[in-house]
């Protein structure tokens, strides 16, 4: 009796080979670096460290709030009220695969301003492999400011009864809030404001302190001295912008408009 060898298709042989390779891979030891890879979680102790760091940095960089409300504000608003801080810590990117770490240190990235949405750095200082990541945080700074008493359209000229005092999140926007009603009344809004929305300096149309050709007072100040002179404006003096003036001696200088026909130079 003759026996014939069974011929298996090539694709079946490939499947069998892959199965053997897979079984062998399961039997091999896992490298230490792969075993160390894990989802790093921010535990309660680390959260407390992050909040404390963010709170300290924010308090140190936030100037004391001084309210200069004027006669239109209630008496209790004329006194400076302490700011209230809140720090909300976000989560690390779920796609991160970081080496296991026995010691994680939070730090403030260089140049980072903890105001509104920001980041706190986390670095592994004791582990299989050092790493550095950033953890999102949201810093809220609550304080008194002028807000819209009712919805106001863009282009509206502010009146005293258009504004009221309320506690808002000062860090919700980078633009400074307006805390002096006298500096807001009579100004024009550049954008609409919802009721309860804080009034920011960028919401007000810049004032023109003088026109080109006007005679202006020139103030110069430096460490331990201040002098005053006069000149002629070569460009309009618009609030928040620089202006060029020619002094009586013929010198052309650049300064900052600070009031009606007044230019200030910093030396």
């Amino acid at each position: 009796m003759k026996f014939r060898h069974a011929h298996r298709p090539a694709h079946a042989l490939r499947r069998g080979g892959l199965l053997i390779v897979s079984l062998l891979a399961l039997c091999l030891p896992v490298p230490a670096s792969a075993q160390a890879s894990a989802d790093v979680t921010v535990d309660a102790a680390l959260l407390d460290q992050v909040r404390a760091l963010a709170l300290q940095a924010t308090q140190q960089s936030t100037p004391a709030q001084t309210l200069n409300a004027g006669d239109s504000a209630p008496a209790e608003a004329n006194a400076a009220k302490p700011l209230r801080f809140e720090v909300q810590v976000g989560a690390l990117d779920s796609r991160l695969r970081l080496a296991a770490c026995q010691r994680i240190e939070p730090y403030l990235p260089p140049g980072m301003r903890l105001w509104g949405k920001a980041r706190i750095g986390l670095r592994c200082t004791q582990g299989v492999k050092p790493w550095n990541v950033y953890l999102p945080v949201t810093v809220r700074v609550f304080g008194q400011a002028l807000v819209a008493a009712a919805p106001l359209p863009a282009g509206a000229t502010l009146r005293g009864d258009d504004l009221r005092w309320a506690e808002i999140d000062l860090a919700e926007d980078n633009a400074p809030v307006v805390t002096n009603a006298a500096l807001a009344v009579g100004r024009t809004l550049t954008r609409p404001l919802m009721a309860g929305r804080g009034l920011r300096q960028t919401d007000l149309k810049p004032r023109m302190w003088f026109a080109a050709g006007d005679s202006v007072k020139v103030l110069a100040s430096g460490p331990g001295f201040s002098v005053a002179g006069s000149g002629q404006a070569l460009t309009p003096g618009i609030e928040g912008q620089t202006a060029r003036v020619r002094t009586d001696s013929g010198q052309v200088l650049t300064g900052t408009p600070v009031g009606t026909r007044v230019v200030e130079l910093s030396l």
Side-chain angles (χ1 to χ4, degrees), residues 42-100:
V42 181
D43 58 21
L46 185 55
L47 279 177
D48 289 341
Q49 293 181 52
V50 170
R51 290 194 186 97
L53 176 61
L55 184 60
Q56 180 183 21
T58 303
Q59 290 174 334
Q60 291 177 347
S61 62
T62 302
Q65 185 188 35
T66 302
L67 297 179
N68 184 12
D71 296 335
S72 62
E76 62 270 17
N78 288 325
K81 294 186 177 181
L83 300 177
R84 184 166 56 87
F85 300 86
E86 288 184 5
V87 177
Q88 293 184 349
V89 183
L92 291 174
D93 191 329
S94 59
R95 296 169 295 180
L96 286 175
R97 299 289 294 175
L98 303 172

Side-chain angles (χ1 to χ4, degrees), residues 4 42 49 67 73 91 104 145 180 186 217 223 234 252-253 258 265:
R4 290 182 299 175
V42 181
Q49 293 181 52
L67 297 179
I104 303 174
N180 189 336
K217 183 178 182 180
L234 300 179
V252 176
L253 302 173
V258 295
L265 309 176

Side-chain angles (χ1 to χ4, degrees), residues 187-188 190 201-209 237-241:
R187 303 281 296 278
T188 303
T190 59
Q201 291 183 12
T202 50
D203 296 328
L204 301 174
K205 185 178 178 180
R207 290 171 288 195
M208 182 183 292
W209 292 117
I238 300 174
E239 184 179 32
Q241 301 180 19

Side-chain angles (χ1 to χ4, degrees), residues 210 215-219 228-231 245 258 260-264:
F210 49 83
S215 296
V216 296
K217 183 178 182 180
V218 181
L219 302 176
S230 60
V245 297
V258 295
T260 303
R261 297 192 177 189
V262 178
V263 177
E264 187 176 74

